[in-house]
Every structure is written in structure tokens, then in C-alpha cells.
PDB file of all heavy atoms in Angstrom:
ATOM      1  N   GLY A  27       0.833  -1.189   0.000  1.00 97.00           N
ATOM      2  CA  GLY A  27       0.000   0.000   0.000  1.00 97.00           C
ATOM      3  C   GLY A  27       0.871   1.243   0.000  1.00 97.00           C
ATOM      4  O   GLY A  27       2.063   1.193   0.329  1.00 97.00           O
ATOM      5  N   VAL A  28       0.275   2.373  -0.362  1.00 97.00           N
ATOM      6  CA  VAL A  28       1.012   3.629  -0.384  1.00 97.00           C
ATOM      7  C   VAL A  28       0.094   4.759   0.044  1.00 97.00           C
ATOM      8  O   VAL A  28      -1.092   4.782  -0.324  1.00 97.00           O
ATOM      9  CB  VAL A  28       1.613   3.893  -1.789  1.00 97.00           C
ATOM     10  CG1 VAL A  28       0.540   3.924  -2.860  1.00 97.00           C
ATOM     11  CG2 VAL A  28       2.434   5.170  -1.806  1.00 97.00           C
ATOM     12  N   MET A  29       0.617   5.643   0.865  1.00 96.00           N
ATOM     13  CA  MET A  29      -0.117   6.827   1.296  1.00 96.00           C
ATOM     14  C   MET A  29       0.492   8.042   0.612  1.00 96.00           C
ATOM     15  O   MET A  29       1.709   8.248   0.669  1.00 96.00           O
ATOM     16  CB  MET A  29      -0.045   6.987   2.815  1.00 96.00           C
ATOM     17  CG  MET A  29      -0.636   5.833   3.600  1.00 96.00           C
ATOM     18  SD  MET A  29      -2.439   5.725   3.463  1.00 96.00           S
ATOM     19  CE  MET A  29      -2.908   7.121   4.486  1.00 96.00           C
ATOM     20  N   ARG A  30      -0.368   8.851  -0.031  1.00 93.00           N
ATOM     21  CA  ARG A  30       0.073  10.059  -0.711  1.00 93.00           C
ATOM     22  C   ARG A  30      -0.730  11.251  -0.195  1.00 93.00           C
ATOM     23  O   ARG A  30      -1.883  11.100   0.213  1.00 93.00           O
ATOM     24  CB  ARG A  30      -0.119   9.929  -2.228  1.00 93.00           C
ATOM     25  CG  ARG A  30       0.727   8.838  -2.874  1.00 93.00           C
ATOM     26  CD  ARG A  30       0.579   8.856  -4.388  1.00 93.00           C
ATOM     27  NE  ARG A  30       1.326   7.778  -5.011  1.00 93.00           N
ATOM     28  CZ  ARG A  30       2.616   7.852  -5.330  1.00 93.00           C
ATOM     29  NH1 ARG A  30       3.280   8.962  -5.066  1.00 93.00           N
ATOM     30  NH2 ARG A  30       3.235   6.833  -5.901  1.00 93.00           N
ATOM     31  N   GLU A  31      -0.121  12.410  -0.263  1.00 89.00           N
ATOM     32  CA  GLU A  31      -0.783  13.620   0.208  1.00 89.00           C
ATOM     33  C   GLU A  31      -1.989  13.971  -0.661  1.00 89.00           C
ATOM     34  O   GLU A  31      -1.990  13.779  -1.867  1.00 89.00           O
ATOM     35  CB  GLU A  31       0.190  14.809   0.191  1.00 89.00           C
ATOM     36  CG  GLU A  31       1.185  14.808   1.327  1.00 89.00           C
ATOM     37  CD  GLU A  31       1.964  16.111   1.397  1.00 89.00           C
ATOM     38  OE1 GLU A  31       1.440  17.132   0.906  1.00 89.00           O
ATOM     39  OE2 GLU A  31       3.070  16.098   1.946  1.00 89.00           O
ATOM     40  N   GLU A  32      -3.041  14.448  -0.012  1.00 80.00           N
ATOM     41  CA  GLU A  32      -4.153  15.083  -0.702  1.00 80.00           C
ATOM     42  C   GLU A  32      -4.603  16.257   0.166  1.00 80.00           C
ATOM     43  O   GLU A  32      -4.067  16.494   1.241  1.00 80.00           O
ATOM     44  CB  GLU A  32      -5.291  14.106  -0.978  1.00 80.00           C
ATOM     45  CG  GLU A  32      -5.982  13.556   0.236  1.00 80.00           C
ATOM     46  CD  GLU A  32      -7.186  12.688  -0.147  1.00 80.00           C
ATOM     47  OE1 GLU A  32      -7.428  12.525  -1.353  1.00 80.00           O
ATOM     48  OE2 GLU A  32      -7.864  12.196   0.761  1.00 80.00           O
ATOM     49  N   GLN A  33      -5.603  16.974  -0.249  1.00 71.00           N
ATOM     50  CA  GLN A  33      -5.951  18.240   0.399  1.00 71.00           C
ATOM     51  C   GLN A  33      -6.257  18.099   1.883  1.00 71.00           C
ATOM     52  O   GLN A  33      -5.816  18.903   2.694  1.00 71.00           O
ATOM     53  CB  GLN A  33      -7.136  18.885  -0.322  1.00 71.00           C
ATOM     54  CG  GLN A  33      -6.784  19.376  -1.714  1.00 71.00           C
ATOM     55  CD  GLN A  33      -7.959  20.045  -2.393  1.00 71.00           C
ATOM     56  OE1 GLN A  33      -9.109  19.892  -1.960  1.00 71.00           O
ATOM     57  NE2 GLN A  33      -7.696  20.781  -3.462  1.00 71.00           N
ATOM     58  N   LEU A  34      -7.008  17.086   2.260  1.00 71.00           N
ATOM     59  CA  LEU A  34      -7.446  16.959   3.654  1.00 71.00           C
ATOM     60  C   LEU A  34      -6.774  15.794   4.371  1.00 71.00           C
ATOM     61  O   LEU A  34      -7.388  15.122   5.191  1.00 71.00           O
ATOM     62  CB  LEU A  34      -8.975  16.801   3.700  1.00 71.00           C
ATOM     63  CG  LEU A  34      -9.771  17.960   3.107  1.00 71.00           C
ATOM     64  CD1 LEU A  34     -11.261  17.647   3.128  1.00 71.00           C
ATOM     65  CD2 LEU A  34      -9.484  19.256   3.881  1.00 71.00           C
ATOM     66  N   GLY A  35      -5.511  15.555   4.070  1.00 75.00           N
ATOM     67  CA  GLY A  35      -4.820  14.475   4.755  1.00 75.00           C
ATOM     68  C   GLY A  35      -3.996  13.640   3.806  1.00 75.00           C
ATOM     69  O   GLY A  35      -3.080  14.134   3.158  1.00 75.00           O
ATOM     70  N   ALA A  36      -4.319  12.356   3.706  1.00 85.00           N
ATOM     71  CA  ALA A  36      -3.584  11.460   2.825  1.00 85.00           C
ATOM     72  C   ALA A  36      -4.547  10.442   2.229  1.00 85.00           C
ATOM     73  O   ALA A  36      -5.488   9.993   2.885  1.00 85.00           O
ATOM     74  CB  ALA A  36      -2.469  10.756   3.587  1.00 85.00           C
ATOM     75  N   LYS A  37      -4.296  10.072   0.983  1.00 92.00           N
ATOM     76  CA  LYS A  37      -5.115   9.049   0.341  1.00 92.00           C
ATOM     77  C   LYS A  37      -4.306   7.765   0.239  1.00 92.00           C
ATOM     78  O   LYS A  37      -3.074   7.780   0.136  1.00 92.00           O
ATOM     79  CB  LYS A  37      -5.578   9.502  -1.037  1.00 92.00           C
ATOM     80  CG  LYS A  37      -4.456   9.728  -2.039  1.00 92.00           C
ATOM     81  CD  LYS A  37      -5.021  10.150  -3.394  1.00 92.00           C
ATOM     82  CE  LYS A  37      -3.888  10.381  -4.405  1.00 92.00           C
ATOM     83  NZ  LYS A  37      -4.428  10.790  -5.729  1.00 92.00           N
ATOM     84  N   ARG A  38      -5.005   6.655   0.262  1.00 94.00           N
ATOM     85  CA  ARG A  38      -4.359   5.351   0.223  1.00 94.00           C
ATOM     86  C   ARG A  38      -4.542   4.720  -1.147  1.00 94.00           C
ATOM     87  O   ARG A  38      -5.603   4.831  -1.770  1.00 94.00           O
ATOM     88  CB  ARG A  38      -4.981   4.438   1.285  1.00 94.00           C
ATOM     89  CG  ARG A  38      -4.388   3.036   1.361  1.00 94.00           C
ATOM     90  CD  ARG A  38      -5.323   2.145   2.156  1.00 94.00           C
ATOM     91  NE  ARG A  38      -4.719   0.907   2.574  1.00 94.00           N
ATOM     92  CZ  ARG A  38      -5.404  -0.115   3.096  1.00 94.00           C
ATOM     93  NH1 ARG A  38      -6.716  -0.016   3.251  1.00 94.00           N
ATOM     94  NH2 ARG A  38      -4.795  -1.210   3.466  1.00 94.00           N
ATOM     95  N   GLY A  39      -3.492   4.080  -1.612  1.00 95.00           N
ATOM     96  CA  GLY A  39      -3.567   3.332  -2.852  1.00 95.00           C
ATOM     97  C   GLY A  39      -2.838   2.011  -2.698  1.00 95.00           C
ATOM     98  O   GLY A  39      -2.178   1.757  -1.688  1.00 95.00           O
ATOM     99  N   PHE A  40      -2.964   1.170  -3.714  1.00 97.00           N
ATOM    100  CA  PHE A  40      -2.228  -0.089  -3.768  1.00 97.00           C
ATOM    101  C   PHE A  40      -1.382  -0.129  -5.026  1.00 97.00           C
ATOM    102  O   PHE A  40      -1.754   0.451  -6.050  1.00 97.00           O
ATOM    103  CB  PHE A  40      -3.189  -1.285  -3.770  1.00 97.00           C
ATOM    104  CG  PHE A  40      -3.759  -1.621  -2.422  1.00 97.00           C
ATOM    105  CD1 PHE A  40      -5.080  -2.015  -2.303  1.00 97.00           C
ATOM    106  CD2 PHE A  40      -2.979  -1.578  -1.282  1.00 97.00           C
ATOM    107  CE1 PHE A  40      -5.617  -2.334  -1.066  1.00 97.00           C
ATOM    108  CE2 PHE A  40      -3.509  -1.888  -0.041  1.00 97.00           C
ATOM    109  CZ  PHE A  40      -4.826  -2.279   0.063  1.00 97.00           C
ATOM    110  N   ILE A  41      -0.265  -0.842  -4.948  1.00 97.00           N
ATOM    111  CA  ILE A  41       0.599  -1.051  -6.098  1.00 97.00           C
ATOM    112  C   ILE A  41       0.558  -2.530  -6.457  1.00 97.00           C
ATOM    113  O   ILE A  41       0.759  -3.396  -5.601  1.00 97.00           O
ATOM    114  CB  ILE A  41       2.044  -0.608  -5.805  1.00 97.00           C
ATOM    115  CG1 ILE A  41       2.080   0.897  -5.547  1.00 97.00           C
ATOM    116  CG2 ILE A  41       2.970  -0.972  -6.971  1.00 97.00           C
ATOM    117  CD1 ILE A  41       3.440   1.423  -5.144  1.00 97.00           C
ATOM    118  N   CYS A  42       0.298  -2.799  -7.731  1.00 97.00           N
ATOM    119  CA  CYS A  42       0.140  -4.176  -8.198  1.00 97.00           C
ATOM    120  C   CYS A  42       1.448  -4.949  -8.106  1.00 97.00           C
ATOM    121  O   CYS A  42       2.527  -4.430  -8.393  1.00 97.00           O
ATOM    122  CB  CYS A  42      -0.361  -4.155  -9.639  1.00 97.00           C
ATOM    123  SG  CYS A  42      -0.527  -5.805 -10.368  1.00 97.00           S
ATOM    124  N   SER A  43       1.343  -6.215  -7.748  1.00 97.00           N
ATOM    125  CA  SER A  43       2.513  -7.077  -7.590  1.00 97.00           C
ATOM    126  C   SER A  43       3.095  -7.517  -8.924  1.00 97.00           C
ATOM    127  O   SER A  43       4.212  -8.035  -8.969  1.00 97.00           O
ATOM    128  CB  SER A  43       2.145  -8.323  -6.770  1.00 97.00           C
ATOM    129  OG  SER A  43       1.082  -9.032  -7.394  1.00 97.00           O
ATOM    130  N   LEU A  44       2.371  -7.308 -10.028  1.00 97.00           N
ATOM    131  CA  LEU A  44       2.880  -7.709 -11.342  1.00 97.00           C
ATOM    132  C   LEU A  44       3.170  -6.513 -12.245  1.00 97.00           C
ATOM    133  O   LEU A  44       4.300  -6.324 -12.675  1.00 97.00           O
ATOM    134  CB  LEU A  44       1.898  -8.666 -12.037  1.00 97.00           C
ATOM    135  CG  LEU A  44       2.323  -9.162 -13.421  1.00 97.00           C
ATOM    136  CD1 LEU A  44       3.652  -9.916 -13.355  1.00 97.00           C
ATOM    137  CD2 LEU A  44       1.238 -10.041 -14.040  1.00 97.00           C
ATOM    138  N   CYS A  45       2.166  -5.688 -12.518  1.00 97.00           N
ATOM    139  CA  CYS A  45       2.344  -4.626 -13.517  1.00 97.00           C
ATOM    140  C   CYS A  45       2.667  -3.265 -12.916  1.00 97.00           C
ATOM    141  O   CYS A  45       2.851  -2.298 -13.652  1.00 97.00           O
ATOM    142  CB  CYS A  45       1.106  -4.524 -14.415  1.00 97.00           C
ATOM    143  SG  CYS A  45      -0.346  -3.783 -13.614  1.00 97.00           S
ATOM    144  N   ALA A  46       2.717  -3.150 -11.584  1.00 96.00           N
ATOM    145  CA  ALA A  46       3.083  -1.920 -10.865  1.00 96.00           C
ATOM    146  C   ALA A  46       2.058  -0.807 -11.012  1.00 96.00           C
ATOM    147  O   ALA A  46       2.330   0.325 -10.633  1.00 96.00           O
ATOM    148  CB  ALA A  46       4.462  -1.418 -11.298  1.00 96.00           C
ATOM    149  N   HIS A  47       0.870  -1.107 -11.541  1.00 95.00           N
ATOM    150  CA  HIS A  47      -0.181  -0.092 -11.592  1.00 95.00           C
ATOM    151  C   HIS A  47      -0.601   0.275 -10.169  1.00 95.00           C
ATOM    152  O   HIS A  47      -0.655  -0.571  -9.283  1.00 95.00           O
ATOM    153  CB  HIS A  47      -1.391  -0.629 -12.366  1.00 95.00           C
ATOM    154  CG  HIS A  47      -2.587   0.261 -12.308  1.00 95.00           C
ATOM    155  ND1 HIS A  47      -2.592   1.528 -12.826  1.00 95.00           N
ATOM    156  CD2 HIS A  47      -3.838   0.061 -11.777  1.00 95.00           C
ATOM    157  CE1 HIS A  47      -3.782   2.089 -12.635  1.00 95.00           C
ATOM    158  NE2 HIS A  47      -4.544   1.215 -11.996  1.00 95.00           N
ATOM    159  N   GLU A  48      -0.894   1.542  -9.963  1.00 95.00           N
ATOM    160  CA  GLU A  48      -1.341   2.021  -8.657  1.00 95.00           C
ATOM    161  C   GLU A  48      -2.789   2.488  -8.745  1.00 95.00           C
ATOM    162  O   GLU A  48      -3.140   3.234  -9.654  1.00 95.00           O
ATOM    163  CB  GLU A  48      -0.459   3.172  -8.183  1.00 95.00           C
ATOM    164  CG  GLU A  48      -0.796   3.665  -6.779  1.00 95.00           C
ATOM    165  CD  GLU A  48       0.132   4.771  -6.310  1.00 95.00           C
ATOM    166  OE1 GLU A  48       1.324   4.753  -6.685  1.00 95.00           O
ATOM    167  OE2 GLU A  48      -0.338   5.657  -5.564  1.00 95.00           O
ATOM    168  N   TRP A  49      -3.614   2.013  -7.820  1.00 94.00           N
ATOM    169  CA  TRP A  49      -5.013   2.423  -7.810  1.00 94.00           C
ATOM    170  C   TRP A  49      -5.442   2.760  -6.393  1.00 94.00           C
ATOM    171  O   TRP A  49      -4.852   2.287  -5.424  1.00 94.00           O
ATOM    172  CB  TRP A  49      -5.910   1.330  -8.403  1.00 94.00           C
ATOM    173  CG  TRP A  49      -6.071   0.077  -7.591  1.00 94.00           C
ATOM    174  CD1 TRP A  49      -7.123  -0.246  -6.772  1.00 94.00           C
ATOM    175  CD2 TRP A  49      -5.173  -1.052  -7.535  1.00 94.00           C
ATOM    176  NE1 TRP A  49      -6.932  -1.490  -6.209  1.00 94.00           N
ATOM    177  CE2 TRP A  49      -5.751  -2.004  -6.656  1.00 94.00           C
ATOM    178  CE3 TRP A  49      -3.949  -1.337  -8.134  1.00 94.00           C
ATOM    179  CZ2 TRP A  49      -5.140  -3.222  -6.377  1.00 94.00           C
ATOM    180  CZ3 TRP A  49      -3.327  -2.556  -7.847  1.00 94.00           C
ATOM    181  CH2 TRP A  49      -3.922  -3.476  -6.976  1.00 94.00           C
ATOM    182  N   GLU A  50      -6.460   3.607  -6.278  1.00 93.00           N
ATOM    183  CA  GLU A  50      -6.930   4.048  -4.970  1.00 93.00           C
ATOM    184  C   GLU A  50      -7.756   2.963  -4.286  1.00 93.00           C
ATOM    185  O   GLU A  50      -8.436   2.161  -4.945  1.00 93.00           O
ATOM    186  CB  GLU A  50      -7.770   5.320  -5.113  1.00 93.00           C
ATOM    187  CG  GLU A  50      -6.963   6.546  -5.515  1.00 93.00           C
ATOM    188  CD  GLU A  50      -7.806   7.810  -5.518  1.00 93.00           C
ATOM    189  OE1 GLU A  50      -8.822   7.850  -4.806  1.00 93.00           O
ATOM    190  OE2 GLU A  50      -7.427   8.764  -6.223  1.00 93.00           O
ATOM    191  N   PHE A  51      -7.667   2.968  -2.952  1.00 95.00           N
ATOM    192  CA  PHE A  51      -8.423   2.008  -2.146  1.00 95.00           C
ATOM    193  C   PHE A  51      -8.740   2.674  -0.820  1.00 95.00           C
ATOM    194  O   PHE A  51      -7.923   3.445  -0.295  1.00 95.00           O
ATOM    195  CB  PHE A  51      -7.599   0.736  -1.917  1.00 95.00           C
ATOM    196  CG  PHE A  51      -8.400  -0.423  -1.390  1.00 95.00           C
ATOM    197  CD1 PHE A  51      -9.169  -1.198  -2.244  1.00 95.00           C
ATOM    198  CD2 PHE A  51      -8.386  -0.736  -0.036  1.00 95.00           C
ATOM    199  CE1 PHE A  51      -9.909  -2.272  -1.757  1.00 95.00           C
ATOM    200  CE2 PHE A  51      -9.122  -1.803   0.451  1.00 95.00           C
ATOM    201  CZ  PHE A  51      -9.883  -2.570  -0.413  1.00 95.00           C
ATOM    202  N   PRO A  52      -9.930   2.408  -0.230  1.00 93.00           N
ATOM    203  CA  PRO A  52     -10.296   3.062   1.037  1.00 93.00           C
ATOM    204  C   PRO A  52      -9.255   2.848   2.121  1.00 93.00           C
ATOM    205  O   PRO A  52      -8.674   1.771   2.252  1.00 93.00           O
ATOM    206  CB  PRO A  52     -11.626   2.377   1.401  1.00 93.00           C
ATOM    207  CG  PRO A  52     -12.188   1.934   0.092  1.00 93.00           C
ATOM    208  CD  PRO A  52     -11.012   1.543  -0.739  1.00 93.00           C
ATOM    209  N   ARG A  53      -9.026   3.885   2.915  1.00 91.00           N
ATOM    210  CA  ARG A  53      -8.029   3.808   3.978  1.00 91.00           C
ATOM    211  C   ARG A  53      -8.418   2.804   5.048  1.00 91.00           C
ATOM    212  O   ARG A  53      -7.560   2.134   5.626  1.00 91.00           O
ATOM    213  CB  ARG A  53      -7.825   5.188   4.619  1.00 91.00           C
ATOM    214  CG  ARG A  53      -7.119   6.181   3.725  1.00 91.00           C
ATOM    215  CD  ARG A  53      -6.822   7.481   4.460  1.00 91.00           C
ATOM    216  NE  ARG A  53      -5.964   7.277   5.628  1.00 91.00           N
ATOM    217  CZ  ARG A  53      -5.410   8.250   6.331  1.00 91.00           C
ATOM    218  NH1 ARG A  53      -5.638   9.522   5.987  1.00 91.00           N
ATOM    219  NH2 ARG A  53      -4.652   8.009   7.373  1.00 91.00           N
ATOM    220  N   VAL A  54      -9.702   2.725   5.366  1.00 93.00           N
ATOM    221  CA  VAL A  54     -10.156   1.831   6.441  1.00 93.00           C
ATOM    222  C   VAL A  54     -10.968   0.704   5.829  1.00 93.00           C
ATOM    223  O   VAL A  54     -12.200   0.693   5.858  1.00 93.00           O
ATOM    224  CB  VAL A  54     -10.985   2.598   7.493  1.00 93.00           C
ATOM    225  CG1 VAL A  54     -11.334   1.682   8.656  1.00 93.00           C
ATOM    226  CG2 VAL A  54     -10.223   3.814   7.998  1.00 93.00           C
ATOM    227  N   MET A  55     -10.270  -0.245   5.225  1.00 96.00           N
ATOM    228  CA  MET A  55     -10.913  -1.434   4.664  1.00 96.00           C
ATOM    229  C   MET A  55      -9.842  -2.489   4.416  1.00 96.00           C
ATOM    230  O   MET A  55      -8.760  -2.190   3.921  1.00 96.00           O
ATOM    231  CB  MET A  55     -11.651  -1.122   3.362  1.00 96.00           C
ATOM    232  CG  MET A  55     -12.298  -2.359   2.713  1.00 96.00           C
ATOM    233  SD  MET A  55     -13.263  -1.975   1.230  1.00 96.00           S
ATOM    234  CE  MET A  55     -14.704  -1.202   1.993  1.00 96.00           C
ATOM    235  N   CYS A  56     -10.152  -3.729   4.768  1.00 97.00           N
ATOM    236  CA  CYS A  56      -9.233  -4.833   4.525  1.00 97.00           C
ATOM    237  C   CYS A  56      -9.346  -5.284   3.069  1.00 97.00           C
ATOM    238  O   CYS A  56     -10.448  -5.611   2.613  1.00 97.00           O
ATOM    239  CB  CYS A  56      -9.545  -5.998   5.455  1.00 97.00           C
ATOM    240  SG  CYS A  56      -8.645  -7.523   5.055  1.00 97.00           S
ATOM    241  N   PRO A  57      -8.244  -5.350   2.328  1.00 96.00           N
ATOM    242  CA  PRO A  57      -8.318  -5.819   0.945  1.00 96.00           C
ATOM    243  C   PRO A  57      -8.539  -7.321   0.841  1.00 96.00           C
ATOM    244  O   PRO A  57      -8.902  -7.830  -0.217  1.00 96.00           O
ATOM    245  CB  PRO A  57      -6.952  -5.434   0.371  1.00 96.00           C
ATOM    246  CG  PRO A  57      -6.047  -5.411   1.558  1.00 96.00           C
ATOM    247  CD  PRO A  57      -6.890  -4.914   2.697  1.00 96.00           C
ATOM    248  N   GLY A  58      -8.334  -8.028   1.949  1.00 96.00           N
ATOM    249  CA  GLY A  58      -8.516  -9.468   1.922  1.00 96.00           C
ATOM    250  C   GLY A  58      -9.959  -9.905   2.025  1.00 96.00           C
ATOM    251  O   GLY A  58     -10.397 -10.826   1.343  1.00 96.00           O
ATOM    252  N   CYS A  59     -10.742  -9.222   2.906  1.00 96.00           N
ATOM    253  CA  CYS A  59     -12.118  -9.661   3.133  1.00 96.00           C
ATOM    254  C   CYS A  59     -13.130  -8.530   3.103  1.00 96.00           C
ATOM    255  O   CYS A  59     -14.332  -8.765   3.249  1.00 96.00           O
ATOM    256  CB  CYS A  59     -12.219 -10.416   4.450  1.00 96.00           C
ATOM    257  SG  CYS A  59     -11.943  -9.393   5.923  1.00 96.00           S
ATOM    258  N   GLY A  60     -12.679  -7.291   2.958  1.00 96.00           N
ATOM    259  CA  GLY A  60     -13.604  -6.159   2.915  1.00 96.00           C
ATOM    260  C   GLY A  60     -14.007  -5.638   4.282  1.00 96.00           C
ATOM    261  O   GLY A  60     -14.853  -4.739   4.377  1.00 96.00           O
ATOM    262  N   GLU A  61     -13.426  -6.169   5.344  1.00 97.00           N
ATOM    263  CA  GLU A  61     -13.751  -5.699   6.702  1.00 97.00           C
ATOM    264  C   GLU A  61     -13.488  -4.193   6.812  1.00 97.00           C
ATOM    265  O   GLU A  61     -12.457  -3.691   6.372  1.00 97.00           O
ATOM    266  CB  GLU A  61     -12.881  -6.443   7.713  1.00 97.00           C
ATOM    267  CG  GLU A  61     -13.098  -6.037   9.155  1.00 97.00           C
ATOM    268  CD  GLU A  61     -14.483  -6.363   9.657  1.00 97.00           C
ATOM    269  OE1 GLU A  61     -14.715  -7.539   9.992  1.00 97.00           O
ATOM    270  OE2 GLU A  61     -15.314  -5.420   9.705  1.00 97.00           O
ATOM    271  N   ASP A  62     -14.469  -3.470   7.413  1.00 96.00           N
ATOM    272  CA  ASP A  62     -14.285  -2.023   7.565  1.00 96.00           C
ATOM    273  C   ASP A  62     -14.593  -1.534   8.973  1.00 96.00           C
ATOM    274  O   ASP A  62     -14.720  -0.337   9.201  1.00 96.00           O
ATOM    275  CB  ASP A  62     -15.138  -1.262   6.542  1.00 96.00           C
ATOM    276  CG  ASP A  62     -16.624  -1.548   6.686  1.00 96.00           C
ATOM    277  OD1 ASP A  62     -17.014  -2.316   7.599  1.00 96.00           O
ATOM    278  OD2 ASP A  62     -17.404  -1.004   5.880  1.00 96.00           O
ATOM    279  N   ARG A  63     -14.688  -2.440   9.939  1.00 97.00           N
ATOM    280  CA  ARG A  63     -14.891  -2.036  11.331  1.00 97.00           C
ATOM    281  C   ARG A  63     -13.539  -1.714  11.954  1.00 97.00           C
ATOM    282  O   ARG A  63     -12.608  -2.524  11.894  1.00 97.00           O
ATOM    283  CB  ARG A  63     -15.572  -3.153  12.112  1.00 97.00           C
ATOM    284  CG  ARG A  63     -17.010  -3.469  11.676  1.00 97.00           C
ATOM    285  CD  ARG A  63     -17.543  -4.667  12.445  1.00 97.00           C
ATOM    286  NE  ARG A  63     -16.712  -5.850  12.199  1.00 97.00           N
ATOM    287  CZ  ARG A  63     -16.555  -6.851  13.063  1.00 97.00           C
ATOM    288  NH1 ARG A  63     -17.156  -6.801  14.248  1.00 97.00           N
ATOM    289  NH2 ARG A  63     -15.800  -7.894  12.755  1.00 97.00           N
ATOM    290  N   ASN A  64     -13.434  -0.543  12.554  1.00 95.00           N
ATOM    291  CA  ASN A  64     -12.162  -0.111  13.128  1.00 95.00           C
ATOM    292  C   ASN A  64     -11.619  -1.075  14.171  1.00 95.00           C
ATOM    293  O   ASN A  64     -10.398  -1.273  14.268  1.00 95.00           O
ATOM    294  CB  ASN A  64     -12.318   1.279  13.753  1.00 95.00           C
ATOM    295  CG  ASN A  64     -12.312   2.385  12.724  1.00 95.00           C
ATOM    296  OD1 ASN A  64     -11.520   2.356  11.796  1.00 95.00           O
ATOM    297  ND2 ASN A  64     -13.198   3.357  12.882  1.00 95.00           N
ATOM    298  N   ASP A  65     -12.533  -1.670  14.962  1.00 96.00           N
ATOM    299  CA  ASP A  65     -12.060  -2.548  16.032  1.00 96.00           C
ATOM    300  C   ASP A  65     -11.510  -3.880  15.516  1.00 96.00           C
ATOM    301  O   ASP A  65     -10.906  -4.643  16.271  1.00 96.00           O
ATOM    302  CB  ASP A  65     -13.170  -2.800  17.061  1.00 96.00           C
ATOM    303  CG  ASP A  65     -14.410  -3.449  16.455  1.00 96.00           C
ATOM    304  OD1 ASP A  65     -14.472  -3.581  15.218  1.00 96.00           O
ATOM    305  OD2 ASP A  65     -15.310  -3.822  17.224  1.00 96.00           O
ATOM    306  N   ALA A  66     -11.712  -4.191  14.230  1.00 97.00           N
ATOM    307  CA  ALA A  66     -11.183  -5.429  13.648  1.00 97.00           C
ATOM    308  C   ALA A  66      -9.917  -5.179  12.827  1.00 97.00           C
ATOM    309  O   ALA A  66      -9.299  -6.123  12.336  1.00 97.00           O
ATOM    310  CB  ALA A  66     -12.236  -6.097  12.763  1.00 97.00           C
TER     311      ALA A  66
END
């Protein structure tokens, strides 16, 4: 994952393990199962 500056803080993205493409992904979400509860 990568955090980059944006106007109100930082945005999160992912970098592909094969083609190195970078795309945005929610800061508070598990890419493995979609979990978005802070306590998990």
C-alpha cells in the first residue's frame, strides 16, 4: 500500500505485484475480506 498527500490528509492506494499499476483504495478497509470495522 502507499499513502500520498491530498488536500485533507492522505489518500491510500495499492501497487500491483505484477504490472506496478497504482489504484486508490479506502483507507479503512481490509483488501482481503472487505472488513471495515475499526475494532477489527
Side-chain angles (χ1 to χ4, degrees):
V28 58
M29 299 291 287
R30 296 185 183 275
E31 283 190 24
E32 65 175 1
Q33 291 182 344
L34 300 176
K37 64 179 180 180
R38 180 195 195 191
F40 282 141
I41 296 176
C42 177
S43 58
L44 180 60
C45 73
H47 172 63
E48 184 178 327
W49 70 99
E50 291 185 24
F51 194 80
R53 290 186 60 170
V54 185
M55 178 176 286
C56 170
C59 67
E61 179 64 79
D62 60 2
R63 294 175 300 152
N64 282 318
D65 59 353

